[in-house]
Amino acid sequence: MGATIKDIARETGLGLATISSYLNGGNVREKNRIKIEAAIEKLHFEVNETARGLKTNKTKIIGIVIPELNNIFCAEIISEAEDILRQNGYATMLCDCRSDEHREAEAVEFLLHKRVDGLLIMPTGEYSEKLELFEKQKKPVVLIDRKVRGFHGDCVLADNEGATKEAVQRLVEAGHKKIGLIAGPQHIFTASARNWGFQKAMMEAGLFLDDSFMVCGDYTIKGGARAMRKLHEEHPDMTAVLVSNYEMTVGAMIEINESGIQVPGELSVIGFDNLEFARACSPKLSIMTQPTREMAVAAVRILLGKLQNEDGKEVETVILPTTYVGGRSIRDIK
Amino acid sequence: MGATIKDIARETGLGLATISSYLNGGNVREKNRIKIEAAIEKLHFEVNETARGLKTNKTKIIGIVIPELNNIFCAEIISEAEDILRQNGYATMLCDCRSDEHREAEAVEFLLHKRVDGLLIMPTGEYSEKLELFEKQKKPVVLIDRKVRGFHGDCVLADNEGATKEAVQRLVEAGHKKIGLIAGPQHIFTASARNWGFQKAMMEAGLFLDDSFMVCGDYTIKGGARAMRKLHEEHPDMTAVLVSNYEMTVGAMIEINESGIQVPGELSVIGFDNLEFARACSPKLSIMTQPTREMAVAAVRILLGKLQNEDGKEVETVILPTTYVGGRSIRDIK
DNA sequence: TTGAAAGCGCTAACAT
DNA sequence: ATGTTAGCGCTTTCAA
């Protein structure tokens, strides 16, 4: 089908090594360079990356494993990461594991089998056996958003603890004392960090609440709705609630709408992520947002770094700040 | 690093062809099969797909090009497609072109260069030069959601015309006459089909409205908000509005919230896609939804079919029905 | 700087 | 059914 370097060699009368050298940025005599370029143009030559990959043992492909593509947080990170990777000549091979540990392990193996050069992963599972297979092959792995037990690789996180801490502080400043938390599953890294930030801020504010003010959802819309209902039923005196991820925020708003709770009249709310959703809520929701763009940029930077300098051995952990975006969902009761 | 078929040949004392035959499902004597399997186990052998690809000229990778990953409609389709593809041994190489024609062309070329076996694309651009490069190489291309001028390949669409038609009918049944449309950019295939469905249904209902009842947004949140504002200002007598894609629905709801329009008291609304968002709105939004799952399934089915039987030459166009999901955003004014 | 030749790991044609 | 061999398109010694 396409032309090969042999064709270019024949066309130019040069040897294979010269063509290869040209293709890889080596030194080639000016007039030969011109000849080669003319031949490439004429024959529509394109390097066969498969053949190159066989020889170099590099595919120029990065694997990305995520829990849910239908999750705006994941989608934003991937779309940014893919963009930068492609600008650097790397293709992105995507695996969505539907928040299933088993599928996640399969995906990691699948990508290893496809011989990707490196891995970007937002872990679902708690353990890391499969990730170690990558490290054994000296292929870089960068974790995004969540840490994994037993894996001491590079990692880019949001300041989860800081996010809930700041949210509580905002509510406390507005005079709230009975503050509920819709938490995530405690075995998930981000969820326990956010939980901890909440507790810490409450303690620092001198507020001591019953554990029943913290209800664990499962990071899903349904779970958020269920948790909201439970909190509201058990604590009619609760004046504010903090929801600790985006899906649960949607769920909480559904429940709030469907059961006719007035925001912020009866209940103040701080949600999580997705500014557009927050704006579409009535009244506009106050939220904590994570820096998805920056997280992607940092993760790809680290990955490309490892890919280029095999030497750079220090493990990096980047923690990026979250941002409070005010709406009209907090009532001042001071 | 890893073991090769040579190692397996040496370990078992068999020839390369036998091992290769085994790996490709050929006939191998029972006792040899056992020997081979033992050797594979022992040496942790895994086929090197790069080498296989070099030989067979197949990568077992499908390219996917989409306008925006941060678009739940795209994300749902991809996540489903990726799942099925992976079950069939195909990896998914993703390119997000940010709704930019130029980037889209680059992405298609990039994937061709990466030698993917086939392409799934939700086109952004109007033309198809780059797609023809695939066809020239006998590599299958399936369009999803949108058609492209000058390209006569397989195609999976939602019933765009039917969607807006049904929406209008629902509004008409509820007694509405002055119905606005927040349309998409008319050069986009889906937008003009939806527009046409709207007009047709209005005519069939004997309702003739000024063109100014149809405002073109640009399929973005901001555009939806802007269009909503314009419609509302120009037509205070309008009793219902139909928004023709998801992003603009979010935008319209933002505008409705921010300018304090009562739904459905002052204005009835039918939105588009994303049931979860609809439920989170207050009152729950009535919407038309597209069958993302089914669209992905159909597209992958066609693609895999073409990949297996080089012969199957008939071009398929699949049109899948949309669904109305009722909420509380339509007022009965009969 | 350039050419010749070997070889990456696999498949496939041919011979046995 | 199995072994032998050539070759996919490239990179990379090694010599010149």
Side-chain angles (χ1 to χ4, degrees), chain B residues 12-316:
Chain B
T12 56
L14 297 166
L16 290 180
T18 313
I19 315 297
S20 177
S21 166
Y22 167 83
L23 292 174
N24 294 288
N27 281 331
V28 174
R29 228 191 292 278
E30 179 68 6
K31 62 176 185 181
N32 286 336
R33 213 205 64 215
I34 295 171
K35 268 205 264 182
I36 294 174
E37 282 169 359
I40 287 178
E41 183 81 4
K42 180 177 169 197
L43 304 178
H44 306 292
F45 169 79
E46 273 190 351
V47 178
N48 181 331
E49 296 218 35
T50 307
R52 178 182 278 174
L54 176 59
K55 186 70 190 176
T56 60
N57 212 16
K58 299 261 177 297
T59 52
K60 286 284 205 169
I61 301 174
I62 300 300
I64 300 195
V65 179
I66 48 155
E68 294 282 351
L69 195 52
N70 302 335
N71 170 314
I72 188 81
F73 174 70
C74 295
E76 281 181 1
I77 289 185
I78 295 169
S79 111
E80 188 66 27
E82 186 267 321
D83 191 20
I84 311 175
L85 285 171
R86 182 139 48 97
Q87 282 171 30
N88 285 272
Y90 284 92
T92 295
M93 204 170 261
L94 183 70
C95 290
D96 178 337
C97 67
R98 312 281 175 100
S99 296
D100 178 296
E101 279 196 47
H102 183 66
R103 278 185 186 232
E104 178 180 55
E106 278 177 0
V108 172
E109 270 197 316
F110 179 80
L111 291 171
L112 195 68
H113 186 76
K114 289 286 182 185
R115 291 182 150 70
V116 297
D117 291 344
L119 190 67
L120 247 30
I121 178 168
M122 297 179 52
T124 283
E126 289 182 71
Y127 299 98
S128 59
E129 308 97 46
K130 298 296 175 192
L131 295 182
E132 280 149 23
L133 296 176
F134 267 83
E135 297 224 301
K136 243 175 230 160
Q137 301 197 10
K138 310 276 178 227
K139 291 186 171 179
V141 175
V142 179
L143 304 183
I144 304 182
D145 190 45
R146 301 181 189 170
K147 280 197 172 178
V148 156
R149 210 170 292 185
F151 180 83
H152 302 291
D154 302 276
C155 187
V156 177
L157 308 172
D159 182 4
N160 293 292
E161 192 182 316
T164 43
K165 218 169 148 183
E166 175 168 356
V168 169
Q169 286 163 355
R170 300 269 178 180
L171 291 170
V172 168
E173 276 166 27
H176 294 273
K177 294 190 187 340
K178 303 248 177 188
I179 303 172
L181 172 71
I182 297 184
Q186 290 309 296
H187 61 91
I188 292 183
F189 175 82
T190 53
S192 67
R194 289 173 198 173
N195 204 349
W196 176 233
F198 174 83
Q199 294 187 13
K200 212 161 156 184
M202 291 296 279
M203 290 189 326
E204 283 174 9
L207 299 171
F208 300 95
L209 292 178
D210 196 294
D211 273 359
S212 63
F213 275 86
M214 303 189 308
V215 175
C216 281
D218 54 1
Y219 267 0
T220 68
I221 295 179
K222 276 194 184 152
R226 214 178 301 126
M228 185 68 239
R229 192 172 324 126
K230 192 169 174 212
L231 268 177
H232 189 247
E233 279 170 12
E234 289 186 10
H235 299 287
D237 55 335
M238 175 180 76
T239 63
V241 67
L242 169 57
V243 195
S244 69
N245 91 327
Y246 170 62
E247 278 70 25
M248 296 195 300
T249 302
V250 175
M253 293 313 291
I254 291 175
E255 174 62 22
I256 285 171
N257 280 341
E258 294 183 353
S259 61
I261 301 168
Q262 292 302 312
V263 173
E266 288 176 65
L267 185 68
S268 295
V269 179
I270 295 187
F272 222 88
D273 280 340
N274 200 342
L275 184 54
E276 305 300 359
F277 174 76
R279 291 186 59 202
C281 286
S282 168
K284 182 183 169 190
L285 207 54
S286 298
I287 48 171
M288 295 304 308
T289 62
Q290 302 182 79
T292 50
R293 224 189 105 88
E294 289 75 8
M295 290 174 76
V297 169
V300 173
R301 177 182 55 71
I302 294 174
L303 192 74
L304 290 176
K306 299 267 166 180
L307 247 19
Q308 276 143 25
N309 321 311
E310 314 276 344
D311 45 337
K313 285 295 175 208
E314 336 81 87
V315 169
E316 241 183 288

Side-chain angles (χ1 to χ4, degrees), chain A residues 227-236 238 261 266-267:
Chain A
M228 184 69 237
R229 191 171 324 125
K230 192 169 172 212
L231 267 177
H232 189 247
E233 280 171 11
E234 289 186 9
H235 299 288
M238 176 178 77
I261 301 168
E266 287 176 65
L267 185 68

Side-chain angles (χ1 to χ4, degrees), chain A residues 9-268:
Chain A
R10 194 176 318 122
E11 179 77 20
T12 56
L14 297 166
L16 290 180
T18 313
I19 315 298
S20 177
S21 167
Y22 167 83
L23 292 174
N24 293 287
N27 281 331
V28 173
R29 228 191 292 277
E30 179 67 7
K31 62 175 185 182
N32 286 336
R33 213 205 65 215
I34 295 172
K35 268 205 265 182
I36 294 174
E37 282 169 359
I40 287 178
E41 184 79 3
K42 180 177 170 195
L43 304 178
H44 305 293
F45 169 79
E46 273 191 349
V47 178
N48 182 329
E49 296 218 35
T50 308
R52 180 182 275 175
L54 176 59
K55 189 66 191 177
T56 60
N57 211 17
K58 299 262 178 295
T59 52
K60 285 284 203 169
I61 300 174
I62 299 300
I64 300 196
V65 179
I66 48 156
E68 295 281 350
L69 197 52
N70 303 336
N71 170 312
I72 188 80
F73 175 70
C74 294
E76 282 181 0
I77 288 184
I78 294 168
S79 108
E80 187 66 28
E82 188 266 321
D83 191 21
I84 311 175
L85 286 172
R86 182 139 48 97
Q87 282 170 31
N88 285 273
Y90 284 91
T92 294
M93 202 171 263
L94 183 70
C95 290
D96 178 337
C97 68
R98 312 281 174 99
S99 296
D100 179 296
E101 278 196 49
H102 184 65
R103 277 184 185 231
E104 177 180 54
E106 276 176 1
V108 172
E109 270 197 317
F110 179 80
L111 291 171
L112 195 68
H113 186 76
K114 289 285 180 186
R115 291 182 151 70
V116 297
D117 291 344
L119 190 67
L120 246 29
I121 178 168
M122 295 180 53
T124 284
E126 288 182 71
Y127 299 99
S128 59
E129 307 96 46
K130 299 295 177 191
L131 296 183
E132 280 149 24
L133 297 176
F134 267 82
E135 298 224 299
K136 243 175 228 159
Q137 301 197 9
K138 310 277 179 226
K139 291 187 172 178
V141 174
V142 178
L143 305 183
I144 303 181
D145 190 46
R146 301 181 188 170
K147 281 196 171 179
V148 156
R149 210 170 292 186
F151 179 83
H152 302 291
D154 301 278
C155 188
V156 176
L157 308 172
D159 182 4
N160 293 291
E161 192 182 316
T164 43
K165 218 169 147 183
E166 175 168 355
V168 170
Q169 285 163 356
R170 299 269 177 180
L171 292 170
V172 168
E173 276 167 25
H176 294 273
K177 294 190 183 345
K178 302 248 176 187
I179 303 172
L181 173 71
I182 298 185
Q186 290 309 295
H187 61 91
I188 293 184
F189 175 82
T190 53
S192 68
R194 290 172 198 174
N195 204 349
W196 175 233
F198 175 84
Q199 294 187 11
K200 213 160 155 184
M202 291 296 279
M203 290 190 325
E204 284 174 9
L207 299 172
F208 300 94
L209 292 179
D210 193 57
D211 273 358
S212 62
F213 275 86
M214 302 188 310
V215 176
C216 282
D218 54 3
Y219 267 1
T220 68
I221 294 179
K222 276 194 184 152
R226 213 178 303 125
M228 184 69 237
R229 191 171 324 125
K230 192 169 172 212
L231 267 177
H232 189 247
E233 280 171 11
E234 289 186 9
H235 299 288
D237 56 334
M238 176 178 77
T239 64
V241 66
L242 168 57
V243 195
S244 69
N245 89 328
Y246 170 62
E247 278 69 26
M248 297 195 300
T249 302
V250 175
M253 293 314 291
I254 291 175
E255 172 63 21
I256 284 171
N257 281 341
E258 294 182 354
S259 62
I261 301 168
Q262 292 302 312
V263 174
E266 287 176 65
L267 185 68
S268 295

